[in-house]
Structure formats: C-alpha cells, structure tokens
C-alpha cells in the first residue's frame, strides 16, 4: 500500500507539472493583456514600461521558468488588475465555491440515493417511472435556465429566498464561511439546488442501475434464505456493493462541480472563485487565471487520489489483485 501510494503521489506531481505547462502556453497563445490594461491614448514609451514591469518582454520559456520557480515557493504572481497575490485572491474566493460544491454533493446523496433505491427495488411501479423520468429532466434542463426559474419562483414571486449574495459569514482559519450562519445557509439554498440538479439525476440513475444489477445475484438470495430482514439486506449487502461505483463517480463529480460552478455563481451573484475567473478572463488577468486553473488541477488530482484510496478500502478484491 505504501509503495502504491508513493507511486500515485509521484504520478500526481508529474500531471500537475504537465498541466502547468499546457495552461501557461495556452494562456499566452490567446490575447494580449496589454491591449486591455493600457488605454489606446498611451504612447509607445508608456506601453514598453508597463510590458517590462509585468515581465512580458522576456522570452516565453524564461517567463515559464520564472513562474515555475515562484510556484514552487507558493507565489503564482500578482494580479494585473487587482495588484494583489493571485493565489491569495483565488483562495479568498475558493471557500464560497467549495461550500456550494459540497452542498450540491450532499443534496445529491441525500436525495438521489433513496430515490434510486426506490426506483431499483420497484422497477415496474408508477413511482419508479416518475423518478426515472424526473432524472431525465434533471439531465436535460440547462443550468442557467433552471437558475433563472428558481429566482423567478422563490425570490420574485413568492419572496421566500434571497436571489443573490452570500449572506452573513464567519471567519475560521482566516477564511470566510457562510454555512456556519443561519443567514448564510438561507442564501445558499437556491444556488446549491441549482448546482445539485444534474448530480441528483446522476446519483439516481447510478443507484437504480446498481440495485438492478445486485438484486438478482446469489449472495442476495442466500441472505434472504437465511431470513435476514429486507432492511438489513439493503443497508448491509446492497448499499455496500453499489457504493463502490458511487464513490468513484461522486469523487470525480466533486471536482467537476467545483470547476463548473461558474454559471451558478454568475446567476446568483455568488462571490466565489468561479465568478472571479470569469471576470479575470474578461480582463485577461493571466496570473489569476493561471492560479485558478492550477488550484483546480491540484483539487482534481487530490480527489482522484482519495477516490483510488477509498476504492481500495471499499473493495478488498482490488487489494488482493495488487498484492498478487
């Protein structure tokens, strides 16, 4: 297990290094931030001075090595627009995005797993057909449209929930968190529901397919023959086996939820990293874009590593295959 873990960590470091190179080269291939940062009335001298101050007059390979050296020491450069540390800007906004992502994942598990169990255990019932039809709608409806409909229904027409902002926050470990206050949770409901819609549908279909696959197997029949209750069969035997693909998919979906929260944050004016990266793209703020993308890559790689570890812990067959 230790050797395998060391290999996976080394692979993760190589992936992060390659991604920094791809992202760095890709950003420098699109647009010139000088065209946005400097007005059209500036003369060539002012233009050359700003280019030199930002280090954009150096060869691309030298810029990358300088960036890599700074990244090793935790410095991803200064924002062109805010004139602050890029990594600090992203990390200040990331808790808001993480809150939404974990809230959406929590909703997906709490709502999706029970509905998927019902649909899998009673596949021919009317309720099962309604649940599966609802899951198809969850896949089909665009996120931006659902967000606007939620605002129209619950904020404009009913006046029950706020349509924008993060609400009250509490500082913990130097970061602001809204889920620790009632007002913050109140503001989180609509954006979390909007972000969770696709995940709920995914969990429903995964759970339903897993239950349909597991129920006819011999060990379920033996459990019934031994006189075990239906509740024990479902909680101990069925759920334990369908959790393996669920953990794998949900782990990967957590990363995509964090990275894909841009639309939801824009609709609900949620001050997270997604909204920051959108503003940075519009302003071609390369350091902030780089910092955000590298942090997201690190999050993806870390989640993949944790999913692999969880997979080995949940499924003894994987450990046996590696050992042999």
């Amino acid at each position: 297990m230790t050797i395998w873990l060391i290999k996976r960590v080394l692979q993760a470091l190589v992936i992060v290094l390659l991604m920094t190179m791809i992202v760095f080269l890709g950003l420098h291939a699109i647009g010139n931030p000088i065209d946005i940062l400097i007005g059209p009335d500036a003369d060539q001298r002012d233009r050359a001075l700003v280019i030199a101050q930002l280090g954009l007059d150096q060869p691309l390979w030298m810029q990358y090595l300088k960036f890599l050296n700074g990244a090793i020491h935790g410095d991803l450069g200064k924002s062109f627009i805010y004139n602050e540390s890029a990594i600090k800007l992203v990390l200040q906004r990331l808790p808001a995005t993480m809150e939404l992502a974990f809230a959406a994942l929590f909703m997906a598990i709490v709502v999706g797993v029970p509905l998927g169990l019902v649909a899998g255990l009673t596949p021919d019932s009317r309720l099962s057909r309604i649940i599966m039809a609802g899951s198809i709608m969850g896949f089909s409806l665009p996120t931006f449209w659902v967000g606007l409909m939620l605002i129209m229904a619950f904020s404009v027409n009913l006046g029950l929930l706020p349509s924008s902002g993060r609400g009250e926050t509490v500082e913990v470990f130097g970061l602001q968190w809204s889920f620790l206050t009632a007002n913050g949770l109140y503001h989180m409901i609509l954006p979390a529901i909007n972000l969770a819609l696709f995940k709920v549908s995914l969990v429903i279909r995964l759970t339903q397919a897993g239950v349909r696959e597991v129920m006819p197997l011999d060990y379920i029949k033996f459990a019934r023959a031994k006189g075990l209750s239906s509740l024990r069969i479902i909680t101990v035997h069925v759920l334990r086996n369908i959790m393996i693909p669920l953990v794998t998919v949900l782990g990967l979906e957590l990363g995509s939820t964090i990275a894909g929260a841009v639309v939801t944050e824009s609709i609900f004016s949620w001050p997270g990293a997604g909204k920051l990266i959108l503003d940075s793209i519009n302003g071609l703020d390369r350091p902030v874009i780089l910092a955000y993308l590298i942090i997201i890559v690190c999050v993806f790689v870390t989640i993949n590593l944790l999913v692999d570890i969880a997979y080995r812990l949940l499924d003894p067959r994987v450990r046996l295959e590696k050992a042999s």
Side-chain angles (χ1 to χ4, degrees):
M1 182 73 174
T2 305
I3 297 174
W4 172 83
L5 187 59
I6 292 172
K7 288 181 179 179
R8 288 291 287 108
V9 171
L10 291 175
Q11 289 174 2
L13 292 175
V14 172
I15 290 171
V16 171
L17 179 62
L18 291 174
M19 287 304 300
T20 59
M21 189 182 301
I22 294 170
V23 170
F24 191 88
L25 295 175
L27 280 178
H28 284 73
I30 53 171
N32 186 359
I34 298 300
D35 297 334
I36 296 177
L37 296 173
I38 301 178
D41 298 332
D43 56 25
Q44 289 297 323
R45 182 181 176 183
D46 293 336
R47 187 181 180 89
L49 183 62
V50 174
I51 291 173
Q53 287 176 347
L54 297 177
L56 299 177
D57 57 336
Q58 300 174 355
L60 190 57
W61 63 270
M62 189 177 293
Q63 291 183 46
Y64 176 71
L65 290 179
K66 184 179 178 181
F67 162 77
L68 201 59
N69 180 62
I72 294 172
H73 296 89
D75 181 15
L76 297 178
K78 276 192 173 183
S79 168
F80 294 161
I81 298 174
Y82 301 99
N83 198 29
E84 292 185 33
S85 170
I87 192 170
K88 180 183 176 182
L89 284 171
V90 176
L91 291 179
Q92 284 176 344
R93 299 287 194 95
L94 196 59
T97 302
M98 297 291 286
E99 284 179 332
L100 275 187
F102 278 103
L105 202 65
F106 177 76
M107 288 182 181
I109 295 171
V110 171
V111 177
V113 172
L115 291 180
L117 280 173
V118 171
L121 293 172
T122 58
D124 298 324
S125 66
R126 179 177 297 178
L127 180 59
S128 175
R129 287 193 287 269
I130 293 173
I131 292 172
M132 298 310 294
S135 70
I136 294 174
M137 287 184 62
F139 280 121
S140 306
L141 296 176
T143 303
F144 69 89
W145 182 83
V146 174
L148 293 174
M149 291 302 102
L150 289 174
I151 290 174
M152 287 292 296
F154 294 98
S155 297
V156 178
N157 294 332
L158 299 177
L160 296 177
L161 296 170
S163 62
S164 63
R166 198 180 173 193
E168 296 178 3
T169 60
V170 174
E171 184 174 340
V172 179
F173 302 118
L175 300 173
Q176 298 294 329
W177 302 93
S178 59
F179 76 96
L180 297 174
T181 67
N183 186 261
L185 287 172
Y186 190 60
H187 280 75
M188 194 188 299
I189 294 174
L190 285 185
I193 290 174
N194 187 53
L195 194 59
L197 187 63
F198 179 86
K199 313 302 175 188
V200 170
S201 302
L202 180 64
V203 171
I204 287 174
R205 300 193 75 83
L206 282 174
T207 305
Q208 188 260 0
V211 172
R212 293 290 303 274
E213 183 180 351
V214 165
M215 290 304 291
L217 297 181
D218 290 337
Y219 68 88
I220 299 295
K221 297 177 181 177
F222 292 148
R224 284 174 174 165
K226 287 166 61 178
L228 296 180
S229 64
S230 298
L231 180 62
R232 183 170 176 80
I233 291 173
I234 293 170
T235 55
V236 175
H237 297 283
V238 176
L239 277 178
R240 175 68 183 272
N241 283 277
I242 67 173
M243 280 301 293
I244 295 171
L246 269 178
V247 167
T248 304
V249 173
L250 287 177
L252 300 176
E253 285 296 318
L254 175 60
S256 66
T257 304
I258 296 171
V262 178
V263 175
T264 297
E265 291 181 4
S266 299
I267 292 171
F268 292 93
S269 298
W270 187 264
K275 194 170 187 303
L276 174 67
I277 191 63
L278 197 62
D279 296 337
S280 299
I281 290 172
N282 290 331
L284 279 179
D285 196 349
R286 285 179 183 171
V288 175
I289 300 172
L290 270 171
Y292 173 82
L293 293 176
I294 289 171
I295 289 173
I296 292 299
V297 168
C298 291
V299 168
F300 264 98
V301 170
T302 303
I303 290 173
N304 277 318
L305 180 60
L306 294 176
V307 166
D308 286 346
I309 294 172
Y311 197 93
R312 291 170 69 89
L313 294 175
L314 284 171
D315 194 347
R317 293 171 296 181
V318 177
R319 297 198 296 271
L320 291 174
E321 288 175 5
K322 295 292 182 182
S324 61

